[in-house]
Amino acid sequence: MRYLPLHFDLKDRQVLVVGGGELARRKVDLLLKTEARIHLVAPDIDARLQERLGQAPHQLTLGKYHSAQIRDSALVIAATSEPRVNTQVAEDARANNIPVNVVDAPDLCTVTFPAILDREPLLISVGSGATSPVLTRYVRELIEQVIPAAFSDLAKYLAGRRARLIQTLTQVKQRRRQMEDFLDSPGMALAMQRQDAKADDYLFATSPAPVSGEVYMVGAGPGDPDLLTLKALHLMQKADIVLYDNLVSPGVLERTRRDATREFVGKRSGNQSTRQEDINNLLVRLAREGHRVLRLKGGDPLIFGRMGEEIAALIEHQIPFQIVPGITAASGCAAAAGIPLTHRDMAQSVRMLMGHPRDGQVNLPWKEFSHDNETLVFYMGLGGLATICQQLLAHGRAADTPIAVISKGTRPDQQILKATLETMPGLVARTQIQTPTLIIVGEVVNFP
Ligand code: SAH
């Protein structure tokens, strides 16, 4: 290991930056997040840099760099476009044993800038000794997925409780144990939600933390696992039991924790689906047993997801839960098909509707759908497609109104059919189209 990663306390220390252009500005922007005093030297200084460094404790010197300016600096950065000047700065710094970074010249550096994941006060830095900045940024993005933004609140909470913890638990070993238990307890999530007082019950628990389960209601999106939210991914890694249904794609399910128990609670073709009441009871029982239960639902759990009933059961039994939204089929399919759901000229509103037929009828207020400047999105509408088209025609929509049927949107085997209200039922009957399918009606379908 040639480079030792260290976190440098720059409070009230001077950092010399040589250079006044774009390269210098990027470094200055980063340095301004610290409490360093910046001294910038350059013959020409970018207006934005002047604005940022125009006042105390910072200092601007217009003119050429002189070796003497390096004195009293804790860190030196050479960011000019002139290799000769950069080399001179690097040599001076080395001669004075001052750490130096030269932008885009790793050979001249004694320190390099890592890619940073900022969850202040938690900082994660990734470096490759400046050999591959693209790779380090990529790795940082991977880490970003597992360290959500709320870690910042957690780190702040723990920083604020440090003194009290040292006072309460005098032995290092005790404290470490308590902290480990805390990070495994629901207290961690509480601190991340800024419920500090409740988190204290776990951090300062005198007896072992109470074993209490919780439920995560998580939107799995329309199928493409890259459309999961960071928060969804985080909870998917945390839960030890996963309850999922039909709409959760295999690619998404694969992102749940390897050793988690996965239980299917949906409807397999032809078979009876698990009764909603049984799912409610199962959630309550598993959480009571102390499990972290992930309830994974396709799309957004709050849209046609019957989540109200599950939440009511959790509230009734006082089980803690969190809801994480997901990308709903309308958004996912529209994006995949390049269809804007609203458009300045074509559609000023969008409605999400349930197209599922009951006793051969789709019961909807059809009269309200006569305006051609509104986009209609039907969920669960394949079985009712003919009725939907018929009703819209009967209620004033033109025969050539564009309609799209999107099957398995955002998945590798996605299919998109476009036709008119008049021709779509026939087209679908001739095509072996598979569920899940989403129907979009309106001028926007023909966009652009
Ligand atoms: N909560 C879900 C909707 C559940 S209702 C969401 O927000 O997306 C189930 C219906 O969603 C399906 O019948 C279908 O109309 C639609 N749907 C879900 N995923 C889909 C996909 N990948 N492609 C097309 N339609 C989808």
Side-chain angles (χ1 to χ4, degrees):
M1 192 163 87
R2 178 166 158 191
Y3 294 89
L4 180 69
L6 295 168
H7 289 199
F8 204 160
D9 183 2
L10 286 176
K11 187 172 163 58
D12 301 329
R13 310 287 306 276
Q14 175 172 291
V15 178
L16 178 72
V17 178
V18 184
E22 171 68 20
L23 294 176
R25 192 168 57 77
R26 271 190 243 150
K27 292 292 189 245
V28 165
D29 280 344
L30 183 61
L31 289 168
L32 283 174
K33 292 187 177 178
T34 72
E35 292 174 46
R37 283 185 285 120
I38 302 171
H39 178 196
L40 186 131
V41 178
D44 292 303
I45 301 179
D46 175 297
R48 279 180 291 179
L49 269 173
Q50 290 196 24
E51 197 181 295
R52 276 168 226 195
L53 299 179
Q55 27 180 301
H58 309 299
Q59 188 189 340
L60 289 171
T61 304
L62 267 182
K64 285 198 170 142
Y65 161 77
H66 299 291
S67 300
Q69 285 162 333
I70 217 161
R71 232 181 293 136
D72 300 328
S73 298
L75 172 68
V76 177
I77 294 166
T80 77
S81 49
E82 290 179 51
R84 202 182 43 80
V85 179
N86 286 349
T87 309
Q88 182 64 49
V89 175
E91 278 172 9
D92 292 344
R94 278 176 194 262
N96 287 281
N97 284 322
I98 299 173
V100 62
N101 178 270
V102 183
V103 176
D104 289 338
D107 292 344
L108 295 178
C109 296
T110 58
V111 293
T112 63
F113 280 84
I116 298 169
L117 183 65
D118 183 357
R119 300 287 188 252
E120 182 75 40
L122 181 72
L123 288 177
I124 299 167
S125 48
V126 184
S128 59
T131 57
S132 182
V134 177
L135 176 66
T136 50
R137 270 202 302 275
Y138 182 78
V139 171
R140 186 201 56 196
E141 278 171 31
L142 290 180
I143 299 175
E144 193 153 37
Q145 296 177 8
V146 285
I147 310 287
F151 263 68
S152 175
D153 291 319
L154 174 65
K156 282 184 194 135
Y157 166 80
L158 289 174
R161 296 297 189 269
R162 202 176 123 80
R164 183 170 153 201
L165 203 62
I166 291 173
Q167 221 173 33
T168 334
L169 299 171
T170 44
Q171 289 176 23
V172 181
K173 217 171 166 184
Q174 258 180 328
R175 282 203 297 272
R176 191 185 307 149
R177 184 62 206 273
Q178 185 87 356
M179 195 69 101
E180 283 169 358
D181 285 350
F182 173 76
L183 292 179
D184 260 339
S185 79
M188 174 173 164
L190 289 167
M192 286 165 73
Q193 294 160 21
R194 317 203 59 170
Q195 302 200 37
D196 292 9
K198 285 191 188 165
D200 285 350
D201 291 345
Y202 294 91
L203 186 60
F204 298 106
T206 38
S207 53
V211 187
S212 112
E214 51 184 341
V215 175
Y216 314 131
M217 298 277 179
V218 173
D224 177 355
D226 282 350
L227 292 176
L228 285 164
T229 63
L230 297 182
K231 198 163 188 179
L233 276 171
H234 172 65
L235 294 176
M236 285 162 76
Q237 285 302 311
K238 207 169 147 188
D240 46 33
I241 296 188
V242 183
L243 303 184
Y244 67 100
D245 41 44
N246 313 45
L247 285 175
V248 176
S249 72
V252 167
L253 202 58
E254 220 169 75
R255 305 272 174 118
T256 54
R257 214 171 79 190
R258 289 251 168 271
D259 58 351
T261 311
R262 300 169 188 176
E263 198 167 324
F264 178 77
V265 293
K267 187 176 181 172
R268 289 236 194 268
S269 52
N271 292 346
Q272 268 294 331
S273 55
T274 316
R275 288 190 324 163
Q276 187 61 50
E277 203 186 318
D278 293 340
I279 300 177
N280 304 350
N281 293 338
L282 187 61
L283 284 173
V284 171
R285 179 168 65 75
L286 291 172
R288 280 222 169 123
E289 287 170 9
H291 295 289
R292 289 168 174 161
V293 189
L294 178 75
R295 178 69 176 106
L296 205 49
K297 281 176 180 276
D300 185 300
L302 299 164
I303 296 176
F304 303 128
R306 296 194 71 172
M307 213 187 66
E309 293 151 75
E310 295 177 19
I311 292 180
L314 298 176
I315 293 174
E316 187 192 332
H317 293 92
Q318 297 185 339
I319 309 283
F321 65 90
Q322 296 185 45
I323 304 171
V324 180
I327 291 187
T328 190
S331 302
C333 293
I339 297 173
L341 291 174
T342 62
H343 184 284
R344 252 171 83 95
D345 306 320
M346 303 178 197
Q348 289 81 45
S349 60
V350 52
R351 282 206 207 211
M352 294 183 187
L353 303 154
M354 189 159 90
H356 188 59
R358 264 200 203 142
D359 307 325
Q361 287 300 312
V362 183
N363 280 322
L364 289 169
W366 297 105
K367 281 203 287 282
E368 293 174 22
F369 307 156
S370 58
H371 311 288
D372 58 11
N373 55 355
E374 179 166 74
T375 306
L376 304 176
V377 181
F378 293 90
Y379 286 72
M380 299 166 272
L382 192 62
L385 178 73
T387 317
I388 291 170
C389 292
Q390 222 172 47
Q391 290 282 11
L392 290 174
L393 290 172
H395 288 85
R397 283 274 176 133
D400 63 353
T401 302
I403 170 171
V405 173
I406 299 147
S407 154
K408 302 191 175 180
T410 80
R411 304 190 189 187
D413 47 354
Q414 158 182 307
Q415 261 186 299
I416 303 170
L417 298 181
K418 287 188 184 178
T420 65
L421 285 181
E422 199 165 39
T423 56
M424 185 58 99
L427 178 61
V428 164
R430 289 192 300 276
T431 321
Q432 295 277 326
I433 203 152
Q434 289 179 1
T435 56
T437 51
L438 189 87
I439 301 170
I440 304 180
V441 178
E443 294 304 320
V444 288
V445 168
N446 278 347
F447 176 84

